[in-house]
Amino acid sequence: MIKGKPVSESRISLTQAMGLTEANVLGNVHGGVIMKLCDEAGAMAAMKHARRPVVTVAVDSMSFHSAVHIGNLLTVKAEVTWVGRSSLETRLVVTAEDLVSAVITHTNTAYYVYVALDEVGEPIEIPPLIRETEEEEAIWREGMARQAHRLERRRQERPIHIHPENRAD
């Protein structure tokens, strides 16, 4: 049996100054930039837990509460919140700091899901998640519910059939 790992071993923090190259047409940071940074932070947290390469399989939710402005210091904090046999859910909490006023704003929270891979790119069993606090246990239960919802949603997806004449290869 694989020895479990505590949530604390997966925690990471990714911080980056937001410049003009990250701006959208409104002059704020583009949501896609934030999503990319969340994916990077989530993957790092998942890899710290699994100590394996991981691939993104789902962006479960991404709720934006406020804009991130050019010049802000963006921080993404990530941790593993739920673990299955080979899949992991990470919670990402994003904040933006105005470096002049020192005001820190919670801009969004997200849940991303990854699958750990073996040497040939197949899913591999990973360590279970040890929950050490009541809050970690509550977040774990919420993650189990999200996973059940993701699986049900996937079962209900209508398959898309691509005709050979429409293929891009």
Side-chain angles (χ1 to χ4, degrees):
M1 179 160 173
I2 299 174
K3 183 180 175 201
K5 292 183 180 179
V7 173
S8 59
E9 282 191 31
S10 71
R11 290 187 181 124
I12 70 108
S13 184
L14 177 67
T15 301
Q16 185 172 325
M18 296 291 101
L20 291 175
T21 58
E22 286 81 37
N24 62 20
V25 296
L26 298 175
N28 298 317
V29 174
H30 195 287
V33 169
I34 297 169
M35 292 179 77
K36 179 181 182 285
L37 291 172
C38 284
D39 193 24
E40 290 174 1
M44 286 187 272
M47 289 175 72
K48 279 185 73 174
H49 180 84
R51 294 297 176 192
R52 294 301 222 164
V54 299
V55 291
T56 309
V57 295
V59 176
D60 188 274
S61 68
M62 173 71 78
S63 301
F64 292 92
H65 306 296
S66 62
V68 177
H69 304 289
I70 301 306
N72 284 168
L73 189 63
L74 185 92
T75 300
V76 181
K77 292 186 179 181
E79 67 182 7
V80 172
T81 53
W82 176 86
V83 171
R85 192 190 79 75
S86 62
S87 58
L88 309 87
E89 177 192 76
T90 60
R91 178 178 63 173
L92 303 123
V93 177
V94 183
T95 59
E97 180 178 357
D98 181 312
L99 295 172
V100 175
S101 70
V103 172
I104 298 174
T105 305
H106 172 225
T107 62
N108 61 299
T109 300
Y111 291 91
Y112 282 38
V113 183
Y114 303 87
V115 168
L117 303 176
D118 65 12
E119 294 76 17
V120 295
E122 294 295 320
I124 187 169
E125 187 174 356
I126 55 175
L129 189 64
I130 299 171
R131 289 90 66 197
E132 300 177 307
T133 67
E134 287 182 26
E135 181 181 1
E136 288 174 356
E137 183 64 34
I139 292 169
W140 165 270
R141 284 192 304 274
E142 292 165 4
M144 278 183 32
R146 280 187 296 273
Q147 178 65 3
H149 183 71
R150 285 188 289 265
L151 291 174
E152 182 59 29
R153 192 171 58 226
R154 186 174 181 177
R155 278 191 282 280
Q156 293 179 9
E157 284 180 359
R158 294 181 69 207
I160 297 173
H161 301 286
I162 299 176
H163 298 288
E165 65 271 10
N166 295 333
R167 291 180 56 179
D169 55 36

